[in-house]
Amino acid sequence: MRQDEKYMRRCLDLAILGASTVSPNPMVGAVIVHNGTILGEGYTSPYGGPHAEVNAVTNAVASFGEEAAKRLFKNATIYVSLEPCAHYGKTPPCAEMLIALQFKEVVIGCLDPFAKVNGLGWQKLKDAGIDTRIGVLEGECKFVNRRFFTRIKEQRPYVILKWAQTADGYFGAADNTQQWISNKASTQLVHKWRGEEDAILVGTATALIDNPALTTRLWTGKNPKRILIDKALAVPDTAALLNDDAETIVFNALKTDWQSHKKLIALENFDLYLIQNILYQLYLMDVQSLLVEGGANTIQQFLDANVWDEARVFESEKTWGDGKTAPRIQHPAQQNIRVGSDQLYTYFNNG
């Protein structure tokens, strides 16, 4: 079992290398092992490309040659963090490839909840006479793909709330002026996070007060889709988040108008189940994860609707004595680390 966990952890290390490029697919890692030696390994290519199992096989063939690799596969175990697919999508079924190559054993981290897989890949392997085991580091495998699992099961993106607050619990200045709370290291970390998620959202007040660009300019990575909640279309076209650095979707109550990088979407009964309606619209657009950066009222709407999965809260050493009170989560943080002079608390919504 320890050996199984060792190789499955390697699968997870590989899987996260696909962060920001594989969505709406899951992040998957695969490792091929023969008599304690790793023959090949791989992770899911950017969306539309080969899956982890195919890349692991290709890696082994490149190292040993096609004929030698195929002979070795017949006495090898392939570890994969998520159940091999069983259907034709943008690529052929990985389960059928593993059967054709006659792998001796397949060890799976967790099942794939997608309806066209969901146990079918596992069943195909078993029906072909391949030894299969499932559930190695199952919880960790599910956690890595919590975005994918949420989209499939809840029909909405995985929602991450993010804000910074002072040591005495204030979110913003009382006079609405822009005031920095977190340090430069925390700011750079946020830019890294932006590149890992499909979309990032703010409300009208944040767009007007802070004029954020919502890009990854302090980190190397893709810019996420930018989502703006702007009921009356009060944010001017000159705002930084409406430039052509990334696509921006503006949910409003007035009009629908699709342009190259700016898309206005009017919602009927705007104030009725606003957050749920926005999340469903994003789900239909294949948005798998959403980072909510503010402001306080927007974040509170997600908390009040209880449609959030994770909250990342920076607490600085600064004290203001006055200001706008930060949102509050009623249970203790599950993680707590230092980022320079700031403290980063992470909460998970378990119900």
Side-chain angles (χ1 to χ4, degrees):
M1 191 64 178
R2 288 183 179 178
Q3 286 293 97
D4 285 351
E5 292 184 358
K6 169 186 171 182
Y7 294 122
M8 193 59 71
R9 289 194 190 283
R10 178 58 184 164
C11 289
L12 293 173
D13 289 341
L14 291 165
I16 61 175
L17 296 177
S20 83
T21 65
V22 303
S23 179
N25 282 342
M27 295 180 287
V28 184
V31 176
I32 301 170
V33 180
H34 180 272
N35 289 338
T37 298
I38 293 179
L39 302 182
E41 55 186 27
Y43 58 94
T44 305
S45 299
Y47 181 62
H51 291 183
E53 301 94 320
V54 175
N55 287 332
V57 166
T58 300
N59 181 234
V61 168
S63 298
F64 296 92
E66 186 171 0
E67 293 306 316
K70 285 183 176 180
R71 286 195 299 271
L72 291 168
F73 292 158
K74 293 178 182 181
N75 288 293
T77 299
I78 183 167
Y79 292 84
V80 59
S81 55
L82 186 70
E83 178 185 8
C85 62
H87 67 293
Y88 282 87
K90 291 189 176 294
T91 62
C94 291
E96 291 186 8
M97 179 196 69
L98 299 181
I99 293 168
L101 292 173
Q102 298 178 289
F103 273 89
K104 179 182 179 181
E105 186 178 37
V106 180
V107 179
I108 301 166
C110 64
L111 292 177
D112 185 337
F114 183 53
K116 292 183 178 180
V117 187
N118 199 16
L120 297 178
W122 182 29
Q123 190 64 50
K124 278 192 174 186
L125 294 168
K126 290 195 298 180
D127 290 346
I130 296 176
D131 291 337
T132 60
R133 279 179 289 126
I134 195 162
V136 176
L137 299 183
E138 183 176 17
E140 293 176 47
C141 290
K142 288 181 176 179
F143 183 78
V144 163
N145 274 313
R146 59 197 184 278
R147 296 163 180 82
F148 174 74
F149 277 57
T150 297
R151 181 179 179 274
I152 296 298
K153 293 180 176 181
E154 304 293 333
Q155 295 189 324
R156 64 167 175 82
Y158 185 86
V159 176
I160 303 170
L161 310 179
K162 190 278 304 180
W163 72 87
Q165 63 187 40
T166 63
D168 52 351
Y170 293 107
F171 179 95
D175 60 1
N176 283 335
T177 57
Q178 185 183 36
Q179 301 283 347
W180 286 105
I181 296 175
S182 55
N183 61 38
K184 291 183 179 179
S186 296
T187 301
Q188 187 177 37
L189 179 57
V190 170
H191 283 233
K192 176 179 181 293
W193 291 343
R194 290 175 179 177
E196 295 171 348
E197 310 307 335
D198 286 351
I200 180 171
L201 180 147
V202 296
T204 306
T206 297
L208 292 173
I209 295 169
D210 296 342
N211 193 28
L214 303 182
T215 61
T216 57
R217 60 194 179 278
L218 299 181
W219 194 263
T220 300
K222 69 170 180 61
N223 290 325
K225 292 180 187 292
R226 298 175 297 197
I227 314 299
L228 172 63
I229 302 176
D230 187 13
K231 182 177 181 179
L233 295 177
V235 177
D237 287 339
T238 54
L241 61 73
L242 295 177
N243 64 26
D244 58 5
D245 287 346
E247 178 183 353
T248 303
I249 300 168
V250 183
F251 289 102
N252 68 92
L254 301 180
K255 67 176 181 178
T256 296
D257 180 26
W258 287 61
Q259 301 173 16
S260 59
H261 68 277
K262 177 184 174 184
K263 296 176 173 61
L264 306 181
I265 299 178
L267 298 176
E268 294 184 16
N269 302 313
F270 185 87
D271 295 312
L272 184 64
Y273 299 111
L274 173 63
I275 300 303
Q276 292 90 336
N277 285 336
I278 288 174
L279 291 178
Y280 186 64
Q281 291 293 323
L282 295 178
Y283 162 78
L284 295 176
M285 297 177 193
D286 277 342
V287 172
Q288 187 163 258
S289 61
L290 178 68
L291 181 63
V292 180
E293 287 210 11
N297 179 60
T298 299
I299 290 171
Q300 193 62 53
Q301 288 185 72
F302 280 87
L303 290 170
D304 291 344
N306 197 33
V307 281
W308 64 280
D309 302 287
E310 189 173 333
R312 302 172 183 175
V313 182
F314 292 101
E315 185 174 288
S316 77
E317 296 179 330
K318 301 174 184 176
T319 56
W320 285 358
D322 189 24
K324 294 183 177 179
T325 303
R328 297 188 184 280
I329 295 176
Q330 299 304 316
H331 58 77
Q334 282 95 330
Q335 296 177 7
N336 177 13
I337 63 171
R338 291 202 69 82
V339 182
S341 58
D342 292 340
Q343 203 77 25
L344 172 59
Y345 296 93
T346 303
Y347 302 81
F348 294 99
N349 185 4
N350 297 319

